[in-house]
Amino acid sequence: MSLPAYQNGPDPSVVCPPCGLCCNYVSVGIDPPSSVERVSTTLWLLYHPDVSVYQSHEDEWFLLVRSRCRNLAPTGLCGVYENRPFICRDYEVDGCEGTSDIPAEKVKFDDAKSFLTFVSKWKPRLYGRCLAAGIVPPAFMAAT
Ligand code: SF4
Ligand code: SF4
């Protein structure tokens, strides 16, 4: 009888509900959009489909790209559980997006317009400098 691939570690089916939510994107830290230059870079990111930008509850900013991990099995379990990357091992099940009602992010933007509307309220003077610098296309301007 063959043993399951996770024989040397916990059974993933009892570690967490195998919803697979945390295996369907990658995210990397980015500079906060606190200058015209950085707002411009954030806009460039958000002009691409399947890319989002979010601020964590710890006020750190991240780029998020929706992409399903090739190791995620149809069962919702990890196909390389025993040898999964450290970042997967470190992910906390407590309070994760699959087990908590609290949104995983403080704020999240899937498009340029919603991001610019946020900037116009969050930092009105910065938004004004972005307008003056010519990086805000008319179609994406925040409503005033
Ligand atoms: S989001 Fe949470 S419950 Fe869902 S697979 Fe990831 S760790 Fe498990
Ligand atoms: S390696 Fe496994 S745990 Fe990590 S993202 Fe892929 S399926 Fe999920």
Side-chain angles (χ1 to χ4, degrees):
M1 181 180 125
S2 62
L3 291 170
Y6 46 80
Q7 59 181 296
N8 294 323
D11 179 345
S13 67
V14 299
V15 170
C16 66
C19 69
L21 282 177
C22 58
C23 307
N24 275 285
Y25 63 85
V26 293
S27 68
V28 287
I30 58 172
D31 290 326
S34 52
S35 68
V36 172
E37 198 74 33
R38 290 179 178 183
V39 169
S40 177
T41 301
T42 305
L43 285 174
W44 168 67
L45 295 172
L46 289 172
Y47 288 155
H48 294 78
D50 297 328
V51 169
S52 299
V53 166
Y54 70 90
Q55 183 185 28
S56 72
H57 292 289
E58 292 74 38
D59 289 335
E60 294 172 311
W61 287 78
F62 293 87
L63 160 73
L64 182 152
V65 179
R66 285 174 283 287
S67 179
R68 181 184 173 90
C69 178
R70 289 189 171 92
N71 298 313
L72 183 61
T75 54
L77 300 180
C78 175
V80 295
Y81 189 78
E82 200 179 330
N83 307 106
R84 68 200 187 287
F86 293 130
I87 194 167
C88 306
R89 299 175 196 213
D90 292 343
Y91 190 77
E92 297 279 349
V93 179
D94 285 343
C96 72
E97 55 246 84
T99 59
S100 172
D101 293 332
I102 299 170
E105 315 87 6
K106 191 171 182 182
V107 287
K108 179 165 168 279
F109 308 102
D110 298 327
D111 60 85
K113 185 157 188 172
S114 63
F115 169 67
L116 285 167
T117 298
F118 167 81
V119 174
S120 72
K121 293 178 178 138
W122 177 53
K123 292 186 183 256
R125 286 195 294 182
L126 171 60
Y127 182 69
R129 292 203 299 277
C130 291
L131 287 173
I135 63 166
V136 182
F140 301 132
M141 281 183 184
T144 52

